[in-house]
Every structure is written in C-alpha cells, then in structure tokens.
Amino acid sequence: MRHWLQRRAVARSAIVALTIGLALLAGLAFFSARSTAQASASVASRQQVSQQWNEIYLKINIEYELLVDFLDQQSAQGRAVLTGSIGSAEVNLRWLNANGGPEDSAQARALQNTYGGYSYTLRNLVDATRGTDAELVVQQARQAALSAAALRKQASLNIARNNLEIGDRLREAQQDSGQIKLAVGVISLADLALVGFCTVVLLVYQRSTERQAAESRYRASHDGLTGVANRNLLTESIEKAIARTVPGGPGVGLLLIDLNRFKEVNDTLGHHAGDLLLQEVARRLTGASRGTDVVARLGGDEFAVLLSEVQSADEVMEIGRRILAGLCGPAELEGLTLDISGSIGVAFYPTPSTSAAELLQHADVAMYAAKRGHSGISMYDPEADQNSFEQLTLLGELRRAIENGELELHYQPKVRVGTRALCGAEALVRWRHPTRGLLGPHLFIPSAEQSDLMRPLTEAVLEEALAQHQRWRHEGLLTPVSVNVGASNLLDPAFPARVGALMDHYGTAAGQLTIEITESALVDDPARAAAALRDMRDRGVLLSIDDFGTGYSSMSYLQVMPLDELKIDRQFTTEILSTSRGRPIVTAIVDLAHALGLQVVVEGVEDERTHAMIGDMGCEIAQGYLFCRPLPADDFARWAVSWSTEPVSAMPS
C-alpha cells in the first residue's frame, strides 16, 4: 500500500482531480463575484434614479412651503427666497430624462410639462401679490396647491416604483447566491476528500522532512502575512551587502516606507481590511523594485527596500521615486476602494551612513522628515536629524502643555458687513511656553497634526472656548464662538458626543458654537465626515468650511454636507484689489455659497476698500485687522464693550 501511494501516477491523478475541483471553485467564485457586481451596479443605478425622484419630491415640497410662508408674511425676503427656488427641480428632471431608464425618462418628460406649468403659476402668483387683485392671488394660490399635490403624488409613485424594482433585484441576487452556495458546498466536500487523499500521498514521500525544514527556514526569515522578508532577514541582507562593497565601488541604499492613514483603515474597516491592504502594498513594492532588491516588512505598516549595487545617492532617490509612484494609487480590496499612499525615507552607504545600524537609523529619520513635510520622499540630511530630535522634544513639551493648561486662546471678532455689528468671535490657540514665550499656532499645530496630539489639543481648545463663552454670558456679552477642528477629530466616532457633553456642561445654547473644518476633512473620508457633521448639527452646532478654495473640495461634498457657513481664505481676499482675477474668483465663490444656502465669511479684510467691495458682492460677515487683531479674552471683552453688538438669533433650521 505504501509503495502504491508513492507512485507518481497516483499523486498526479490526485493533484489533477484536486486542480479540477479548485478550478470549479474558482469559476464559481468568479461567477459569484460577477453576479454580485452586476446586482450591485443595477441596485446602485436604481438607487441613483430613486434619489433623483426623492430630490424632486423634496424640492417641490420646499417650493410650496416657501410659497405658503410668503403668502402668510409677504415680506421682500420671502419673495426673494421663493423666486430663487422656483424651477429648482428642473435639473433633476433633465438628469432623469438623459440618464434614467425608458420608464423614468418617460415619466420625467411627462412631469416636466406639469412642473413647467407649476413654476409658471408660482411666478405669476409672486407677480400678482404686487397688485391689488386679491381674488386673483387666491385663485392662483389654489391652482399652485393643486399642482404641487399632483407633482408630489407623481414623484411619490416613481419613488415607490423604483424601490420595488430594487427589492426585486435584491431578491433575485439572493436566490442566485443561494444556488452558488449549494454548488460550492458540494464541490468543497469533494475537494476536501481529495485534499485528504493528497495529504496521505505527500506524507509518505521520502523528502517531506527536507521540505518542511526549508519551509521552517523560510518562515523564520519572511513575514507571515505578506511573504516578503522580515526585519531579521533585512538586517542580515544589509550587513552582507555592506560587506560586499569595496572602496570607490557601488554603495548600498535603503528605503524606509511608512503608509499614510493605515491606523484609520484598521480602526474603521477592521484588521482583515488592514491585512489585505498590507498584502497589496507588498505586491506593489515587489513589482516596482528591481529583481536584486530585498523588499521587507519591518512590522505594522512599515516596509523597507534594500538596494544593492547602486552608484550614488541620486540613483537611490530615482529608484525611490519610481517605487513611490508604483505604491501610490487606489486599490480594490474585496469590494472596497482604498487609496494607498506613503512616505519614503532614503539613506545611502557609505556616506553619510557608515554602518548597517546607521543606515536603518538615518532612513528612519528621513522618513519622518518626508511625513512631516508631506513631500512623499526625502533623503537623509544630518541637519534634519537634529531637527527631528527637536521635533520630538517639542511634541513631548506640547503634551505636557495640554495637561498643564499652558494653552491660551485669543479671539478675533466677526462683524456684519455694512453695519459692522459684532456677531461672533473665532478662538485662535496660542502656547504660553515656559522658556520660549508665546508661540503662534504655526510653530506647533503642524507637528500636532502628524502625531496623536491633535485630538486632545482640539478638545482642550474647544473646552476653553466654551468655558470663556459661559463667562462672557455671565458678564452680559452674548457673542457666539467659533473653533477650528482638524480632520482627525471628524474621523473619531465619539467626537460629536463629547462636543455635545461640553455644550451641556457649559450651558451653550444651540447656534452659539460654530465648528470650522478644513476642506481636507471632507475629502479624506466624506462618509464619516458627513455622519459626524450631521450628529453635531443635531446637537445645535453650526458648521463652517474654513479656508475655502485652498484645498480640493468636490461640489458634491458641499451639496450633501450639512454646512451653514463658508469662509473665504485671506489669500483670495488680498487679490480682490491686487489682481484682475481676484474679484471674479471671489464673486464666483460667493454665488456658489449663496446657491447652496450658505452664509459667507471673508477673512483678511484689512482696509475700507476691501470692506466696501465684499459688501457689493453680497458677503455677510467679515474678519480682519480693519476691525481688530486677535486679542486675549479679557482684552476682547473690553474691545467688544466699545463696539456695537448684534442680537444673536437661534440656529437656522
């Protein structure tokens, strides 16, 4: 029996049978993935169409509610808001006509005629309110009500129809999945039996011990998750590469790679997604490296590439840039699209690194410099080594400063354009360093953003701002406060609850706190950012997008994010009068903000001409040295006493 199992024909037959079984499983997996992808695409398409109908229904509701409000109050502001909303659903109807299926396109075309008549009625009604014919107003109001009801009914029917189609497609996909699971189970049992048989065959082979020994040696020198070299093998390879060098000959280069936002992937999507990401990184690094290079994983999200036989540090940098280009980019991991990017530190032997230990240390210093400078790749610089030491010292001191209350806030007023009435104060952090004096935020905020200190620093600033707001209220100064919040806080699921708890603790009313966020916070993870913003909005927090135009915001983000305010960065403000393109750019931003229902705040207003100009553009609020520089809390309060104040309204609905 043992000799029969050792025959190659038996082993080959078992392997062929197993291969066929695995191929069947692979085919089923491919078919399942394709079926799932098709179902997902179909459902996503229907959901997109349904969303358009939802928006049509919502916009018709809004137009009618604005009409009712206007007829009730007949104010100039109500007339302007109503007039601006008329025809808002037309863009959705055109989209459905161009992109919907046959049924949705036909329904959209039919609805366009009715909606056009409805819009015409609204415009006539607005015009009629300027006259004296009350009976005509009543008649057209009834007609508008009937038209709105009919339009909402048609939109609702289309929403329901699309939802039914989505449900049918999901049920079909579920049935297909069940059949595939049954087939996979049967084939898996057959494959399991074949695996058992093959195992018996392999166990009797005389060279099994040698193969197992080789595998053990491999596991001891390679990373179990990615299959690339581990730290031990890399260290050994560096020492061997250095030993092979000769004076005046080629040198040795080392690239140390650290991934960006890997912890967020692990925290948000789980360790399985993190493992898939690490495996994809290892494949990309291996594919971008030369055949003689050693790719290693040092632990966590840190990788290294050892380059032997390189002529100069410039050549190492050239190879490093090529590897960085091969590493960065989107990756599809089990249906998830993740963007891979990283920072690379570069070191070269024999100058300035003189040993294997220094090569690793210098590459690590260079990598830290690349992350801090957002440069992607950086060559080791002895001066940067000293700077990195100072940076680490600064972070340690900043951590103690947060704990010991060395941070203090200065406040810059926000005033109404035209009336110059005080309507808010932006909190700006300073650090009262025990030996270096008062430090501006540019000296420590960038370092905090690259570490784990940004979250506690932000929360310390937020708490002090709310405490100061409470003290001002007790003194009779009713001025809302604004606080800047970094992207890392929006990615923390518990942050909105902590904001709410601080507002409750200090008795901060709805509409009295504005959270200012940067554009990068929207782009990094729009879904999580939107969830956090909605949560804070529900707690009575106003939301502002800061330094607009300096980042890469998508229009779609601005449309779906629950924002109240848009701040124009000072670099655009200074160009209003100094460049020919300055005013058109700011005007476009203001028009965009107003179209989205956002209030506009202009930073950097430093002279009367600029103040008058932004007033002509329709901007509501201004900040700048024309009114006041940032002041400590007590000085701000004294300044506010001599300045006209404006009653603070509740948060807009």
Side-chain angles (χ1 to χ4, degrees):
M1 182 68 176
R2 182 169 176 268
H3 294 293
W4 179 76
L5 289 173
Q6 286 182 336
R7 292 178 181 176
R8 291 186 177 180
V10 174
R12 288 173 180 172
S13 298
I15 292 173
V16 168
L18 180 59
T19 302
I20 293 173
L22 293 175
L24 289 174
L25 281 178
L28 285 173
F30 173 77
F31 178 79
S32 176
R34 187 178 64 177
S35 176
T36 301
Q38 290 173 346
S40 299
S42 176
V43 169
S45 176
R46 298 313 308 167
Q47 287 176 335
Q48 191 174 17
V49 170
S50 182
Q51 177 64 28
Q52 294 296 321
W53 286 115
N54 273 314
E55 291 184 15
I56 290 171
Y57 182 90
L58 177 62
K59 289 177 179 178
I60 292 170
N61 263 343
I62 291 174
E63 289 175 1
Y64 185 72
E65 289 172 3
L66 291 174
L67 171 63
V68 172
D69 291 342
F70 168 66
L71 291 175
D72 183 47
Q73 301 178 6
Q74 293 200 14
S75 65
Q77 182 179 4
R79 175 181 284 107
V81 174
L82 173 59
T83 302
S85 71
I86 294 174
S88 60
E90 184 63 29
V91 64
N92 304 96
L93 291 169
R94 288 198 299 270
W95 187 95
L96 287 168
N97 192 16
N99 303 287
E103 179 66 15
D104 290 293
S105 295
Q107 291 288 337
R109 286 193 297 273
L111 198 63
Q112 274 181 312
N113 295 329
T114 307
Y115 185 70
Y118 175 61
S119 299
Y120 180 78
T121 299
L122 291 181
R123 293 188 179 94
N124 287 341
L125 180 56
V126 171
D127 293 335
T129 58
R130 294 189 173 97
T132 59
D133 192 346
E135 183 177 354
L136 177 60
V137 172
V138 172
Q139 179 183 357
Q140 291 186 340
R142 289 174 181 170
Q143 183 179 352
L146 292 174
S147 298
L151 287 167
R152 288 196 296 267
K153 182 177 180 180
Q154 293 180 57
S156 298
L157 290 174
N158 282 289
I159 292 170
R161 176 177 55 79
N162 276 277
N163 288 339
L164 286 174
E165 291 180 5
I166 291 172
D168 291 340
R169 188 65 188 91
L170 289 174
R171 282 190 294 273
E172 291 174 4
Q174 188 175 14
Q175 292 173 357
D176 293 341
S177 177
Q179 294 173 355
I180 292 172
K181 286 181 180 178
L182 178 61
V184 168
V186 173
I187 297 174
S188 296
L189 288 175
D191 282 347
L192 184 61
L194 288 171
V195 168
F197 180 72
C198 289
T199 302
V200 174
V201 173
L202 292 173
L203 286 175
V204 299
Y205 272 76
Q206 295 179 353
R207 299 181 62 183
S208 61
T209 303
E210 288 81 0
R211 286 197 298 271
Q212 291 173 2
E215 291 173 0
S216 297
R217 289 193 298 271
Y218 180 86
R219 287 193 295 269
S221 59
H222 289 76
D223 179 58
L225 176 63
T226 62
V228 298
N230 60 16
R231 181 182 291 271
N232 292 335
L233 181 57
L234 176 69
T235 303
E236 180 182 336
S237 300
I238 293 175
E239 292 173 348
K240 289 181 178 178
I242 289 177
R244 288 195 300 267
T245 61
V246 296
V252 178
L254 182 64
L255 310 178
L256 197 63
I257 302 113
D258 186 77
L259 302 182
N260 296 333
R261 298 185 297 276
F262 177 74
K263 186 177 183 299
E264 295 175 11
V265 173
N266 259 350
D267 293 345
T268 306
L269 303 178
H271 291 288
H272 177 64
D275 290 346
L276 293 177
L277 179 61
L278 293 174
Q279 290 169 347
E280 176 63 18
V281 168
R283 283 192 290 270
R284 292 188 179 188
L285 292 177
T286 302
S289 302
R290 306 174 304 174
T292 56
D293 299 334
V294 177
V295 178
R297 179 186 174 212
L298 305 185
D301 62 338
E302 193 173 53
F303 289 81
V305 180
L306 175 64
L307 312 175
S308 57
E309 300 291 325
V310 283
Q311 300 298 326
S312 65
D314 291 339
E315 183 182 355
V316 178
M317 283 292 289
E318 181 181 349
I319 297 172
R321 293 189 185 97
R322 186 176 68 242
I323 289 177
L324 182 62
L327 169 67
C328 297
E332 292 287 339
L333 304 176
E334 293 190 352
L336 298 172
T337 301
L338 301 177
D339 185 64
I340 300 178
S341 63
S343 301
I344 298 182
V346 180
F348 181 69
Y349 173 91
T351 303
S353 305
T354 60
S355 65
E358 281 194 351
L359 196 66
L360 280 165
Q361 178 186 352
H362 292 170
D364 186 59
V365 171
M367 183 270 293
Y368 180 82
K371 287 184 73 71
R372 185 175 64 249
H374 302 284
S375 59
I377 185 169
S378 177
M379 171 64 75
Y380 171 74
D381 181 359
E383 292 185 5
D385 199 353
Q386 177 61 28
N387 291 338
S388 67
F389 174 78
E390 294 175 355
Q391 193 72 16
L392 290 173
T393 302
L394 179 69
L395 288 174
E397 292 177 340
L398 180 57
R399 189 183 301 276
R400 289 191 297 273
I402 296 172
E403 295 171 353
N404 298 335
E406 295 176 8
L407 301 179
E408 61 182 61
L409 300 185
H410 288 194
Y411 297 86
Q412 186 172 34
K414 300 164 71 173
V415 301
R416 291 287 176 188
V417 175
T419 66
R420 302 185 183 227
L422 176 64
C423 60
E426 180 180 0
L428 303 169
V429 66
R430 304 289 189 265
W431 178 7
R432 183 69 65 178
H433 194 279
T435 59
R436 299 171 61 185
L438 189 65
L439 302 182
H442 64 284
L443 296 175
F444 59 92
I445 291 294
S447 299
E449 289 176 338
Q450 297 299 321
S451 69
D452 61 348
L453 291 181
M454 197 59 201
R455 290 183 181 180
L457 188 151
T458 298
E459 293 185 18
V461 170
L462 180 62
E463 180 167 13
E464 172 57 27
L466 293 181
Q468 183 59 58
H469 182 261
Q470 183 185 59
R471 291 191 289 269
W472 281 340
R473 292 200 312 271
H474 293 162
E475 296 169 1
L477 178 59
L478 302 179
T479 302
V481 293
S482 302
V483 177
N484 291 279
V485 169
S488 61
N489 294 93
L490 293 185
L491 299 179
D492 180 3
F495 180 69
R498 290 199 290 272
V499 173
L502 287 173
M503 292 178 67
D504 292 341
H505 179 75
Y506 290 105
T508 308
Q512 295 294 294
L513 170 64
T514 298
I515 293 294
E516 298 186 4
I517 58 175
T518 59
E519 293 183 69
S520 62
L522 305 183
V523 177
D524 288 347
D525 195 333
R528 292 176 68 187
L533 295 179
R534 283 192 293 270
D535 194 345
M536 287 190 287
R537 189 85 189 285
D538 292 341
R539 300 172 189 273
V541 178
L542 298 179
L543 302 169
S544 172
I545 181 167
D546 194 17
D547 297 338
F548 182 78
T550 61
Y552 305 94
S553 280
S554 166
M555 284 286 295
S556 62
Y557 298 158
L558 295 181
Q559 289 177 305
V560 301
M561 297 292 176
L563 301 172
D564 301 286
E565 181 181 276
L566 181 149
K567 298 190 73 174
I568 297 177
D569 185 67
R570 67 180 64 251
Q571 76 178 53
F572 293 111
T573 307
T574 58
E575 293 178 356
I576 291 177
L577 299 176
S578 61
T579 67
S580 60
R581 298 189 305 171
R583 180 167 183 171
I585 290 175
V586 174
T587 300
I589 296 175
V590 173
D591 291 342
L592 169 64
H594 288 165
L596 296 173
L598 305 181
Q599 188 170 241
V600 178
V601 179
V602 182
E603 297 180 311
V605 178
E606 299 184 358
D607 55 70
E608 292 291 352
R609 289 183 63 199
T610 303
H611 181 239
M613 189 80 70
I614 65 173
D616 294 339
M617 295 178 186
C619 302
E620 290 85 0
I621 299 176
Q623 276 183 263
Y625 290 173
L626 173 63
F627 313 105
C628 185
R629 292 175 178 269
L631 297 172
D634 292 341
D635 293 342
F636 179 88
R638 284 190 290 271
W639 174 88
V641 169
S642 62
W643 196 265
S644 61
T645 58
E646 178 186 66
V648 180
S649 62
M651 186 182 74
S653 59

